[in-house]
Amino acid sequence: MTNISILGSGKMARALAVTMLRGNNPVQILGRDGAKTRSLVEGLGPGATGGIVGADLTGAIVFLAIPHKEVHAAVLEAGDSLDGRVVVDISNPVDPATFDQLTVPPGTSAAEETARMLNGRAEVVKAFNTTFPGTLEAGQVGGQHLDVFIAGDSEQAKEKVSAVAAAGGLRPIDVGPLRRSRELEAIMLIVMGLQVNPEHEHFNWDTALRIFP
């Protein structure tokens, strides 16, 4: 059993919470909107607790379930409460207006930016950026389980994230060091673009990436 903290109270926060609770891992939800956070926690039921961003973190693993543009402020606000924890960056730095470009400079990634901000105080892992809320909460697409691609420079941190993903019924796949986040984020530029392309009416944020043997 691993205590999980999730910063955010949106759809991905809920989907992550459902996945973690499915694996019997207690979840703490910390959001900015008190009413929205309470509603989410009440809907999740036993095993879930909540509070406002800035409250003491209880999780050994902290998921940043917030848009990329909000990560910097969240890390600054959390301060030294993130020290010694595994921090999971799930963000996709895709321009939300056009879905045709990344918002990070070439040669880096959102996860690497997060790691630089934390400057060694916490182990940063990239994971769950290739899953959408609906399919993640369901735990499957078309009868097939979901793959979770995991990148990070700490083997121990990746093992911890892999363990909670597997406990939630997903298949974790270690794709290498944190710099592989660049490719994980870049592929989602294509995948997210497909979801909003009117020529692909059968895509409705209900797809997923999976490696078949």
Side-chain angles (χ1 to χ4, degrees), residues 65-199:
I66 52 180
H68 172 246
K69 65 180 180 180
E70 298 178 16
V71 168
H72 186 269
V75 169
L76 291 178
E77 190 168 1
D80 58 11
S81 66
L82 294 174
D83 291 4
R85 303 179 194 272
V86 175
V87 175
V88 183
D89 186 318
I90 74 166
S91 69
N92 282 305
V94 174
D95 186 331
T98 62
F99 290 92
D100 68 352
Q101 64 180 344
L102 296 173
T103 58
V104 293
T108 190
S109 65
E112 289 171 286
E113 287 183 346
T114 301
R116 283 192 290 272
M117 282 188 281
L118 287 165
N119 195 28
R121 294 169 24 231
E123 296 292 352
V124 176
V125 170
K126 187 74 181 187
F128 289 92
N129 75 298
T130 61
T131 57
F132 294 135
T135 52
L136 178 58
E137 185 170 340
Q140 58 85 34
V141 179
Q144 301 292 322
H145 67 254
L146 301 187
D147 285 344
V148 176
F149 302 98
I150 300 172
D153 293 332
S154 166
E155 295 302 319
Q156 184 178 39
K158 287 191 289 185
E159 288 173 2
K160 290 178 180 178
V161 176
S162 294
V164 296
L170 314 176
R171 182 174 70 164
I173 299 178
D174 186 342
V175 299
L178 194 62
R179 66 175 182 274
R180 291 281 79 85
S181 302
R182 303 170 194 177
E183 289 74 33
L184 291 178
E185 293 170 7
I187 190 63
M188 291 309 290
L189 174 64
I190 297 174
V191 174
M192 294 174 75
L194 289 173
Q195 310 308 304
V196 299
N197 189 331
E199 295 181 2

